[in-house]
Amino acid sequence: MERRGAGEEKRTKIKLCGLSRRCDIEAANLLSPEYIGFVFAPSSRRYVEPDRAKELKRLLSPDIIAVGVFVNDSPGRIARLLELGIIDMAQLHGQEDESYIRKLKRMTQRPVIKAFCIESKQDAEAASESSADFVLLDSGSGGTGATFDWSLIQNVERPYFLAGGLTPENAGEAVGRLHPYALDISSGIETDGYKDREKMTAFVRAVRKEERR
């Protein structure tokens, strides 16, 4: 669901995930990442109620795609949030299998991202074969702040979101070494559990600087 011009097709995209406050949205609007994320998993400290996400989505620049992050949720609930326009894409971060993905895709025409915990080459192969529109390669269940062995994904040929342990300090290395479709960051742009505008800015600048090399 790209809204950017053809000249930006090869640019590494950015997803700032776990936004929950008005000031987070204001910062995102200034920084212009391609994606932001709302977490709908009740177990997460970044959880937002759908009504709250709806309010925040209204404040979000129309050029930024809102992704809803779910963990083993009902396909019907996800499809409803998509059709209501509260989110533009769904990200599955639990044990959702191929049957689940197919069912969700029958219920909505919106893109689906499936997250994979990468601990072995087999995990990377599973991600490569997923029927989801996009895959996200992570080090754990999300928001752990830890990286994984990037050499495990060197043979992944499909476009992917890279997550897990990203920071303003290693963002440039990630872009230069892996050339992912997008970088997805959450805990790496937080201070005391809340999004930090300075860290958000530093991360975006680091990615864009590496792209200009």
Side-chain angles (χ1 to χ4, degrees), residues 3 10 15 19-20 25 27 75-76 81 100 109 115 136 138 141 156 163 171 178 188 197 210:
R3 299 171 181 157
K10 294 184 178 180
K15 177 166 169 273
L19 307 192
S20 61
I25 299 297
L81 293 176
Y100 182 107
Q109 299 300 310
L136 181 146
D138 201 352
S141 59
V156 175
L178 299 173
R197 183 177 294 217
E210 181 62 29

Side-chain angles (χ1 to χ4, degrees), residues 16 22 25 40 42 48 79 84 95 105 127 129 133 147 210:
L16 305 178
R22 183 187 184 104
I25 299 297
F40 293 105
V48 293
L84 287 174
Q95 285 72 52
K105 289 176 69 66
E129 297 170 359
D133 299 282
T147 58
E210 181 62 29

Side-chain angles (χ1 to χ4, degrees), residues 2 16 18 30 57 75 96 120 138 201 205 207:
E2 285 303 326
L16 305 178
L30 289 172
K57 178 64 155 50
E96 302 89 356
S120 67
D138 201 352
T201 301
R205 285 178 176 172
V207 174

